[in-house]
Amino acid sequence: MGSYTQLTYHVVYATKYRDPSIIAEIREKLYEFIGGIIRGKKGRLIEIGGVADHVHILAQLSATLAVADVIRDVKANSSRWMHEQTAVKRTFEWQKGYGAFTVSYSRIPKVRSYIQNQETHHRRVTFQDEYINFLKRHDIQFRLEYLFEDEHYG
């Protein structure tokens, strides 16, 4: 008998200090680039979206690769790509870490819709509140003081 999997993840991560550096002019190209990385890792991008300070990815990932390895490569390669774009006028970095949540096959349409409506959603909810809600909903323990990187001056 063969082995069959359908491992779908909703992955969320932010720019460093939640800097609004994913500018509209480059956002779709960034998403296409990220999709290419996921395909190169034997995954299938289902949906991608976000706003200027973070990204949501809904993807089926290969059972032969660790989620952490795939996301590390996505973040490293997309960060390098962003540095090569002339439209990006400042230093670009992703924040350390990410959230990855499994998605039941029956919930894929709902998560897709959620990702597609990020612009509207974030008129009411901050990224920080959204992320904390994800962690709580998935019963993931965290300490708020270590959750987000903050820029400190002086």
Side-chain angles (χ1 to χ4, degrees), residues 49-108:
V51 292
D53 68 349
H54 71 280
V55 170
H56 289 259
I57 298 169
L58 180 63
Q60 291 172 340
L61 301 180
S62 171
T64 63
L65 299 173
V67 174
D69 293 340
V70 173
I71 301 308
R72 179 200 60 224
D73 290 350
V74 166
K75 289 173 68 179
N77 287 303
S78 61
S79 181
R80 188 175 312 112
W81 183 86
M82 286 289 281
H83 284 124
E84 295 169 356
Q85 305 311 302
T86 57
V88 178
K89 304 288 188 221
R90 54 187 166 208
T91 302
F92 180 86
E93 291 182 69
W94 294 115
Q95 185 163 344
K96 293 177 186 170
Y98 61 91
F101 313 97
T102 56
V103 177
S104 168
Y105 185 76
S106 64
R107 302 280 298 165
I108 289 173

Side-chain angles (χ1 to χ4, degrees), residues 91-133:
T91 302
F92 180 86
E93 291 182 69
W94 294 115
Q95 185 163 344
K96 293 177 186 170
Y98 61 91
F101 313 97
T102 56
V103 177
S104 168
Y105 185 76
S106 64
R107 302 280 298 165
I108 289 173
K110 187 158 184 79
V111 176
R112 282 189 83 176
S113 177
Y114 178 81
I115 292 171
Q116 291 167 351
N117 291 298
Q118 283 292 291
E119 292 283 345
T120 302
H121 175 69
H122 284 290
R123 290 186 196 131
R124 301 181 317 271
V125 178
T126 67
F127 169 72
Q128 292 93 320
D129 288 341
E130 174 187 54
Y131 195 71
I132 289 168
N133 287 334

